[in-house]
Amino acid sequence: MPPNTTASTGQQPGKSGRKKGRRARLIVLVLVLAVIAGVTGGAYWSISTVRASFPQTKGSLTLTGLSGPVDVKRDGYGIPQIYASSDEDLFMAQGYVQAQDRFYEMDVRRHMTSGRLSEMFGASQVDNDEFLRTLGWDRIAQQEYDKTLSASTKKYLQAYAKGVNAYLDGKDGKDISLEYAALGFTNDYKPEKWSPVDSISWLKAMAWDLRGNMQDEIDRALMTSRLGPKEIADLYPQYPYSRNKAIVQAGRYDEITKTFEQGGSASTAGSSAAGSTGGTAGTASSSGTAGLQSQLAGLQNVLDGLPTAVGVNGNGIGSNSWVISGKHTITGKPLLANDPHLSASLPSVWYQMGLHCRSVSSKCQFDVTGYTFAGLPGVIIGHNRNIAWGMTNSGVDVTDLYLEKLSGDGYQLDGRTVPFKTREETVKVAGGEPKKIVVRETNNGPLLSDRSSELVKVGKKATVDTAAPDRGDGYGIALRWTALDPGTSMDAVFAMDKAADWKDFRAAAALFDVPSQNLVYADTEDHIGYTLPGKIPTRAQGYDGSVPAPGWDSKSRWTGYIDDDELPYEYNPARGYIVTANQAVIDKTKYPYTLTTDWGYGTRSQRITDLIQSKIDDGGKISTDDMRQMQLDNSSEIAKLLVPQLLKIDIADKDVRHAKDVRDAQELLEGWDYTQDADSAAAAYFNSVWRNILKLAFGNKLPKELRVKGQCLWVDPVNTTGPADETEKVRECGERDADQAQPDGGDRWFEVVRSLMDDEKSDWWTTPKSGNRPGAVNRDQLFKRAMIDARWELTAKLGKDIDTWSWGRLHRLFLKNQTLGTEGPGFLQYILNRGPWKLSGGEATVNATGWNAAGGYGVVWVPSMRMVVNLGDLDKSKWVNLTGASGHAYNAHYTDQTDKWADGELLDWSFSDGAVGESTSDTLVLKP
């Protein structure tokens, strides 16, 4: 699955023109396929060939292996609700139906998780495969299947695989999807059978993209080439507990803290420096000179090149989820909302469906509906007849990088040489020769440094203290990660799907070891709750996971894991609601363990809290539509801080060329309500000013490894003392992909700027003269320059007439097929991709249509779905997906939900037999 590149830029179809647009694309498709046919020797593809892979949704089919008939009822959006009389039949049918809609996506995912993309896409994916083989997701998944998962989970996985394979039976690639037909011109690849391990492996990909602070760990180390400890600390401020509330505000932490103080288990296993940022890391705490810079930059390049799984390779991952008890709702029963923020993909990472036993019994135990992943049995987020649940990424730190002293065939540990654990892997390459690699592991995990020519030199010049072993040819880098141990997350999926109450749910959540998620809960009996599950490590005194640790010292190893009954939770809090949006889980002063040093900073969570509390304070009751409106809140918290100061800046004719034009733009901010609607000119201008403030104050001062690839600056040489003479400056160009660069403009940067606002003469507010643009020596001078630069930037992008400006013209979403739609031929990108859509929202808003301020204004991650569950009447729940049910490019359900999603609308979500019956458009009967 190649990394993203720019897709085609067709216009968003209007509602009246969708049929014309679809017909036009079909005409183009016929022409393209005719050309291909001529080039390849006459094999003609007709529209009927393209449609041959569309699923059968009516009538009946025979599926060998079923014990009884199964009904598949689809609504007008192609969303399936499956009815069966046994668990095995239910999951076999789920596998069959998901394969009908999404098998190509499933196939690509399993090749990614197993490090076998080269088998589909050739030599371009060898480096990715080597890295993924080194991580060994599929090996761990196999161990889980063999050793840790329950017998019932294995039975469900086997039934699901049986259904997928029943769909594949007798089909050629072109019968399965258009993409296989395209691959067939360059590759003789043929899909193989599905296995239970293929499903489990996908949970490892999910865990990788939600792995915690590994990116911050790398970035802090890279910053040391240009910035000192105080400057780095400025860029990672403390979490504002007094302003942005943590998730858990009551809960059981008082009891845990008491145990800690009395010398119980918490005190012996817990880590010091709870909640600190940039803490020590033993003998490697200052390992930030040129050698380590180069090696960590190499690791970053490897990470940038990895295919996106469910997020932007671990960056910018966020989500909103909140639950409100019946005392504050119109129905008198809880409401629960969830919208996970992930990178946009086509098709959406989520798949909507219902799994219903005709009669719930020991033989058939499920009656559940919601969102899952294609390739995975069960439901990940949703509700059953008794409870509902949502998820957001907790952000707890479950990964650590270790510097390792390599010695011949081993590595050093406590003064002795320990042999590597090794294995040989063969990477098969479509159209090329296979490549063999050797994976080496230390006691901390796989050596990531073996997968990059730069990383081979890891630590060659790293600064360490006298207790460190001689560097020799350099240190390696190993990864310790909870997901590299066999776990039980697949058991958790089915247990949550069947849970009937809070006790059941907590027991199910305890099985969800990786990735660690914030889980919110509600039930039909008017109870609400929150729990933090996960396998969360504890660290020894002096190690907080914020920077790479010395692997040669056993004292740097993890000391254990936090016990399940010591993890934070809340149940029926007096305030009547719980909000999770990636903020701190718990106040560091009230909890003895370090969960992470790198929380999200709580901008979204506090805004949601304020919206809920405002409604309550006004004496109102909250409705399902109120929840929807909260999900669409576009208010910019950083604009509230900066705009009053920006309006005070004097744009005078005497010192600003074309001052009136700049003042005209400045006047857009007068009376602006800080709402980032797609048609707002003020939002466009403010976000450009914000981007330029970040660039001038911070971005131009960061090392090249963090700046945007290809953006070049003349800078002082590394390790100089004081400003260099102009003739001594060197030209450095950025090295990071635009959607990964810093400063990204998220709420960490909100907090950075907030903390500096009163220090008007901070060095961060200084910037040199550039060409005919003046320099700045204080905050307001830098703000003025940013306002001027923003005016001319938008003039270039949107035109001189500010009446034509709008945020949506800058802030656009392109949906790209994540394989051939990113690096395939242009005509294939046209066939597979869709967009753009002009979006409201922005970075760290509740309507989190994220963009990277270092790289541009385009949308890089989104609310990947939205749902609101009404526990008073489950049939009045609402949901929407980013794209549609289908992965087939010309199927009616490829992107049929996207317009509604972009407009903030939600679809009816039927659950009961009667409601599903009324909404059913097509029924397919699967017969034994």
Side-chain angles (χ1 to χ4, degrees), residues 346-410:
L346 182 60
S348 166
V349 69
W350 297 108
Y351 185 92
Q352 300 154 285
M353 71 187 321
L355 300 171
H356 307 278
C357 291
R358 293 190 179 96
S359 177
V360 176
S361 65
S362 59
K363 181 182 178 183
C364 197
Q365 305 172 69
F366 295 87
D367 190 12
V368 63
T369 180
Y371 297 84
T372 188
F373 302 125
L376 202 70
V379 167
I380 301 294
I381 294 172
H383 72 81
N384 59 31
R385 60 176 63 181
N386 299 305
I387 74 166
W389 66 96
M391 295 185 187
T392 63
N393 191 25
S394 71
V396 300
D397 186 2
V398 296
T399 60
D400 278 348
L401 296 175
Y402 283 88
L403 298 178
E404 303 282 8
K405 169 59 182 173
L406 310 183
S407 302
D409 293 330

Side-chain angles (χ1 to χ4, degrees), residues 92 283 345 736 823:
M92 183 178 178
T283 56
S345 60
R736 190 167 287 187
E823 282 199 344

Side-chain angles (χ1 to χ4, degrees), residues 433-464:
E433 294 297 317
K435 182 177 181 180
K436 291 188 177 182
I437 64 170
V438 175
V439 176
R440 301 189 294 176
E441 295 185 9
T442 73
N443 65 328
N444 291 309
L447 275 175
L448 303 187
S449 49
D450 283 351
R451 301 283 77 86
S452 164
S453 59
E454 289 180 286
L455 288 174
V456 170
K457 304 176 294 181
V458 93
K460 196 168 187 178
K461 298 181 181 179
T463 300
V464 293

Side-chain angles (χ1 to χ4, degrees), residues 320 341 604 630-638 672 674-680 682-684 686-687 690 750 806-812 837-851 857-863 866 901-902 904:
N320 301 323
H341 306 156
R604 281 179 288 109
M630 291 177 192
Q631 289 179 324
L632 302 178
D633 184 79
N634 294 319
S635 179
S636 170
E637 297 302 303
I638 190 63
W672 179 43
Y674 313 120
T675 298
Q676 299 172 104
D677 292 332
D679 60 359
S680 171
F686 171 76
N687 281 315
W690 170 235
F750 290 14
S806 71
W807 176 225
R809 288 180 62 197
L810 292 172
H811 193 53
R812 300 186 300 168
W837 283 264
K838 298 175 181 179
L839 297 187
S840 301
E843 192 74 17
T845 60
V846 181
N847 184 19
T849 55
W851 56 287
Y857 302 98
V859 177
V860 296
W861 51 279
V862 295
R866 297 188 185 100
W901 172 91

Side-chain angles (χ1 to χ4, degrees), residues 66-134:
L66 288 175
S67 63
V70 177
D71 296 328
V72 181
K73 300 181 179 183
R74 292 181 185 257
D75 67 9
Y77 288 89
I79 299 170
Q81 304 282 342
I82 300 175
Y83 290 83
S85 298
S86 73
D87 290 337
E88 290 92 334
D89 284 356
L90 192 65
F91 292 115
M92 183 178 178
Q94 184 182 16
Y96 185 88
V97 169
Q98 285 192 344
Q100 280 186 306
D101 286 331
R102 300 275 194 96
F103 182 76
Y104 176 77
E105 174 193 7
M106 293 163 58
D107 198 17
V108 171
R109 283 181 178 174
R110 67 167 164 178
H111 279 78
M112 182 190 74
T113 57
S114 59
R116 296 170 52 209
L117 287 169
S118 301
E119 295 178 17
M120 296 185 76
F121 303 109
S124 67
Q125 297 304 302
V126 168
D127 289 346
N128 286 335
D129 284 347
E130 290 183 11
F131 188 82
L132 292 165
R133 294 286 184 95
T134 300

Side-chain angles (χ1 to χ4, degrees), residues 279-302:
T280 62
T283 56
S285 62
S286 58
S287 54
T289 54
L292 188 58
Q293 303 300 312
S294 174
Q295 283 74 57
L296 288 175
L299 174 57
Q300 176 61 43
N301 289 338
V302 173

Side-chain angles (χ1 to χ4, degrees), residues 647-659:
L647 289 174
K648 296 177 184 177
I649 304 294
D650 181 20
I651 308 295
D653 292 86
K654 61 183 176 61
D655 56 8
V656 178
R657 293 177 65 229
H658 304 291

